[in-house]
């Protein structure tokens, strides 16, 4: 009895993706991060890029469409770089902006940006880069919470939420 080749290949792809997410922390500080403190005007702006939503893990930071945002424990605060590179980015896409000062609503942590390897502006909160989880398909999904013991939801104040989460908002 033969096992389908696709099962073995799928396991190999999963292992490679997870290995890419567990790399060494980035230490290159050549790209200085840009930070801003949310103002009353920014926090009440109609076009907020980042806002707050209730989830099964409590209040979390989400993008303008309600998609959950995550921290990677291997990132180094205020380093100006992301430790998630190459295959890791397939599973954990970066949260980007076109603004030097992303508009927020309800987020109280210090918002900023760093340059991503492809030249985009990756949004940071309290000096740590923000990411999406590719398996979160709809607003309210929090399936990336605790993945590999290194990926965690983000509180509005910019802290990692290390508690367990159920299936969504």
């Amino acid at each position: 009895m033969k096992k389908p080749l696709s099962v073995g290949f799928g396991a190999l792809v999963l292992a490679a993706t997870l290995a890419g997410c567990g790399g060494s922390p980035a230490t290159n500080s050549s790209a200085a991060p840009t930070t801003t403190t949310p103002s009353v005007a920014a926090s009440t702006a109609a076009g907020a890029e980042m806002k707050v939503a209730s989830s099964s893990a409590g209040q979390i930071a989400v993008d303008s469409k309600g998609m959950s945002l995550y921290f990677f424990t291997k990132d180094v605060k205020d380093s100006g770089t992301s430790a998630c590179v190459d295959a890791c980015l397939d599973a954990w896409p970066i949260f980007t902006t076109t603004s030097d000062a992303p508009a927020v609503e309800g987020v109280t942590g210090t918002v900023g940006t760093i340059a991503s390897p492809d030249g985009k502006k990756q949004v940071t909160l309290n000096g740590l880069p923000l990411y999406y989880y590719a398996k979160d398909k709809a607003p309210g999904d929090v399936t990336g919470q605790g993945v590999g013991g290194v990926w965690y939801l983000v509180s509005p104040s910019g802290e990692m939420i290390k508690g367990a989460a159920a299936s969504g908002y």
Side-chain angles (χ1 to χ4, degrees), residues 3-163:
K3 288 188 176 184
L5 180 59
S6 62
V7 173
F9 182 70
L12 180 62
V13 169
L14 177 61
T17 299
L18 291 176
C21 295
S24 300
T27 56
N28 179 357
S29 60
S30 62
T34 303
T35 59
T36 60
T37 303
S39 67
V40 174
S43 63
T44 58
E49 294 178 73
M50 188 173 15
K51 58 186 182 176
V52 177
S54 294
S55 78
S56 55
Q59 295 287 98
I60 61 169
V62 298
D63 74 358
S64 62
K65 296 176 185 168
M67 297 302 291
S68 302
L69 297 170
Y70 297 89
F71 279 142
F72 184 33
T73 62
K74 296 185 185 278
D75 281 325
V76 176
K77 183 178 178 167
D78 296 322
S79 69
T81 61
S82 167
C84 182
V85 295
D86 302 324
C88 177
L89 293 173
D90 292 335
W92 300 94
I94 64 174
F95 174 42
T96 62
T97 183
T98 57
S99 172
D100 287 332
V104 299
E105 182 179 315
V107 175
T108 58
T110 303
V111 178
T113 62
I114 60 172
S116 67
D118 62 0
K120 294 181 181 174
K121 293 178 186 179
Q122 183 172 8
V123 179
T124 62
L125 191 54
N126 290 352
L128 288 170
L130 295 170
Y131 306 86
Y132 297 105
Y133 185 42
K135 291 185 180 179
D136 284 352
K137 298 298 182 189
D141 287 353
V142 292
T143 60
Q145 177 65 357
V147 169
V150 294
W151 292 96
Y152 294 99
L153 290 163
V154 179
S155 77
S157 64
E159 301 298 317
M160 282 186 199
I161 300 172
K162 293 206 173 177

